[in-house]
Amino acid sequence: LQRRVETEHGDFVGPVRDPAVACGEAAFGSQDEAGDLFLEPVDEVVITTDEIAATQPDLIGLQEVSRWLQISTTTGQPVGQIDFLSLLQSELAARGLDYDVAAVSNNANLGPFPVVCDFTTFELCSYVIALQDRDVILVKDDPRITWSNPRDGSFTAQQYFQPPFPNTPPISFDRGWASVDVTVDGKRVRFVNSHFEAFSSDLALAQ
């Protein structure tokens, strides 16, 4: 998974004045521009927080906000996790940046999948991993801004993949959307964060 961030300033719907909207896509285990260095999740969080701190957007749309769970094969209980949203919220708070989680689209819940710990013997680890994929809208905590009516949903058209594991049914990333109604300086707008299918242009168009 690769990380892509776009930042844009200026009007975004009709008369709403200069709301400074930033839309980002953040993913766990991303590559750098050279394509040969996998960044740690904390690096991803710091980079994203740097961009937020530099632009101070009123609204933020994040996609592929992953939550990875490490689950014991003995107890079936979680023994660790990497939650991009929690990490980002902590980093924002540490810099004095206040953003509310206004809407969340819970998309794919994938796994649990086995993990190979020894590639010589192909011995499996004592844990499995699972992935929760989410799209999130953040709204700046600012007296100029109020928000309401958070909504989310999944598209009818979806792409399915067959995992390379026995007795595993086809899976989908369950692409979806989230929205929130926002008033900025007395001007109202509906902000939508939609994540279309990345692996099929036909499905993306249908969505």
Side-chain angles (χ1 to χ4, degrees):
L1 294 174
Q2 292 187 346
R3 172 181 175 282
R4 300 184 300 275
V5 173
E6 297 177 1
T7 302
E8 129 180 51
H9 299 282
D11 299 343
F12 64 98
V13 173
V16 178
R17 180 177 57 82
D18 219 7
V21 179
C23 294
E25 179 173 317
F28 168 72
S30 301
Q31 293 179 321
D32 67 359
E33 292 180 357
D36 57 2
L37 174 64
F38 282 85
L39 301 176
E40 294 295 328
V42 172
D43 294 329
E44 288 288 338
V45 171
V46 170
I47 293 170
T48 303
T49 308
D50 285 344
E51 291 164 344
I52 294 173
T55 57
Q56 299 282 314
D58 295 332
L59 308 170
I60 302 171
L62 294 169
Q63 298 180 353
E64 298 181 15
V65 186
S66 305
R67 178 172 180 253
W68 292 85
L69 282 176
Q70 189 179 24
I71 303 168
S72 169
T73 56
T74 303
T75 65
Q77 298 299 313
V79 293
Q81 72 169 356
I82 298 173
D83 187 337
F84 182 90
L85 183 57
S86 295
L87 292 171
L88 178 61
Q89 287 177 297
S90 297
E91 188 69 21
L92 289 170
R95 303 200 193 186
L97 301 172
D98 296 324
Y99 283 86
D100 298 322
V101 177
V104 177
S105 173
N106 290 302
N107 304 324
N109 282 289
L110 305 180
F113 299 117
V115 180
V116 176
C117 278
D118 188 333
F119 283 92
T120 303
T121 63
F122 292 98
E123 180 183 356
L124 296 180
C125 300
S126 61
Y127 60 86
V128 292
I129 58 171
L131 166 66
Q132 181 187 22
D133 182 42
R134 300 163 295 182
D135 300 328
V136 178
I137 295 176
L138 302 181
V139 180
K140 182 193 291 184
D141 186 5
D142 188 309
R144 301 167 37 249
I145 305 168
T146 59
W147 60 271
S148 63
N149 192 30
R151 300 177 61 197
D152 65 271
S154 298
F155 298 115
T156 301
Q158 297 288 344
Q159 175 90 334
Y160 288 87
F161 305 90
Q162 182 60 54
F165 306 112
N167 303 317
T168 304
I171 60 175
S172 170
F173 286 107
D174 197 19
R175 307 296 190 187
W177 57 271
S179 70
V180 65
D181 294 342
V182 184
T183 301
V184 181
D185 294 329
K187 308 293 178 61
R188 296 185 61 189
V189 67
R190 174 165 293 171
F191 182 77
V192 180
N193 181 21
S194 56
H195 191 201
F196 300 116
E197 179 55 58
F199 299 105
S200 170
S201 57
D202 290 338
L203 275 175
L205 183 60
Q207 293 168 341

